[in-house]
Amino acid sequence: MQNYSFVPGSGTLSLDPGTYRMVTLSVPAGLGGLPDAGTTAGITPELALSFDAKASITPFSLSELTEETLSAASVYTATLLPATSLLSLRVSGLPEGSSAEFTLLGMYASVGLDGTYAGSLDYPVSASGETVCFPTPGAATLSYSVDGGEPRSLPVGRTLEAGNRLTLELAWGEELREISVSGATVMDWIPGNDTGEAGDAK
C-alpha cells in the first residue's frame, strides 16, 4: 500500500494497471497514525488512526476500504462517511451557582483504515454544548460530578454511532441530588452540515 496526499477534487494518482486496495480519508489536525505522504512503511488495512493525547477529537471522514481493478484510464471515486460522532448535552435544574463536569466512559480510542474501531478511552465532554467523539462499543455511559464532588455513573441507554448526533436532555433531581436522562434524540450528522433526520427519540 502507498500513502498519497491530495486536495479534494484535484488529485491524480499514477499507478500501473492492476488490482489495488483503496481507501480515502480526511486528515484533520491532531490525527495520528498515518506515515508521511509518499511512504509505505507500516500501512496496513488495520492501521489505527487516533488523535494525539493533547488534541481534541475533531470530525474526520473515511471511505470504505475497497479492492479496485484499475486500467491506465481508470477513475477511482470514494464516498467519505463520518468516522466520528457528535454528543450534545443539555443540563437543566442545577442549583444556582452549581456546575457539572462530564466524561464519556469507554468510547473507542481509534479506527482502522478498514473501518474497524478498537481500544477504549474516557473522554471529557462539554456540559453545555457539542463534543465530537469516537463511537461507543455499546450503550454509552457518562461519569459526572457536581461542584467537584464524587464522580457518579450515568448510563445513557443509547449507543453513540459514527455519523450520528446524540442529544441528551439531562435533569438535576434535588430530592435524590443526582442527574438523570430525561430525553434523548438521535439524528444523522454530517460534519459541516447542521441539518439531519431525527430518529428514535423516545
Side-chain angles (χ1 to χ4, degrees):
M1 297 184 75
Q2 297 186 19
N3 177 17
Y4 287 88
S5 178
F6 62 91
V7 176
S10 64
T12 300
L13 184 62
S14 296
L15 295 171
D16 293 332
T19 300
Y20 298 87
R21 285 181 295 182
M22 310 282 285
V23 64
T24 302
L25 66 151
S26 62
V27 185
L31 183 68
L34 278 176
D36 293 334
T39 63
T40 61
I43 300 181
T44 67
E46 298 80 21
L47 179 68
L49 306 172
S50 60
F51 284 84
D52 300 336
K54 295 182 179 180
S56 296
I57 295 174
T58 54
F60 82 100
S61 300
L62 184 69
S63 74
E64 182 181 359
L65 178 66
T66 59
E67 189 171 277
E68 305 285 339
T69 300
L70 305 179
S71 66
S74 292
V75 175
Y76 163 67
T77 302
T79 300
L80 273 66
L81 298 174
T84 47
S85 311
L86 195 67
L87 178 61
S88 178
L89 305 184
R90 300 173 183 170
V91 186
S92 63
L94 281 175
E96 186 175 352
S98 291
S99 63
E101 295 183 349
F102 293 87
T103 300
L104 177 62
L105 301 179
M107 74 173 188
Y108 286 118
S110 66
V111 61
L113 292 179
D114 59 1
T116 301
Y117 291 90
S120 180
L121 180 66
D122 296 340
Y123 190 68
V125 295
S126 172
S128 58
E130 298 179 336
T131 305
V132 179
C133 308
F134 275 124
T136 55
T141 298
L142 295 172
S143 171
Y144 72 92
S145 62
V146 177
D147 296 333
E150 191 71 22
R152 304 183 70 169
S153 179
L154 177 61
V156 170
R158 300 300 175 103
T159 301
L160 194 58
E161 298 182 359
N164 280 177
R165 174 198 281 124
L166 174 60
T167 300
L168 298 176
E169 304 289 345
L170 306 177
W172 169 259
E174 186 63 33
E175 182 176 348
L176 297 177
R177 300 192 63 78
E178 66 180 15
I179 292 175
S180 60
V181 178
S182 59
T185 303
V186 179
M187 299 180 71
D188 292 335
W189 172 64
I190 299 175
N193 180 0
D194 289 334
T195 62
E197 183 178 346
D200 194 16
K202 294 181 181 178

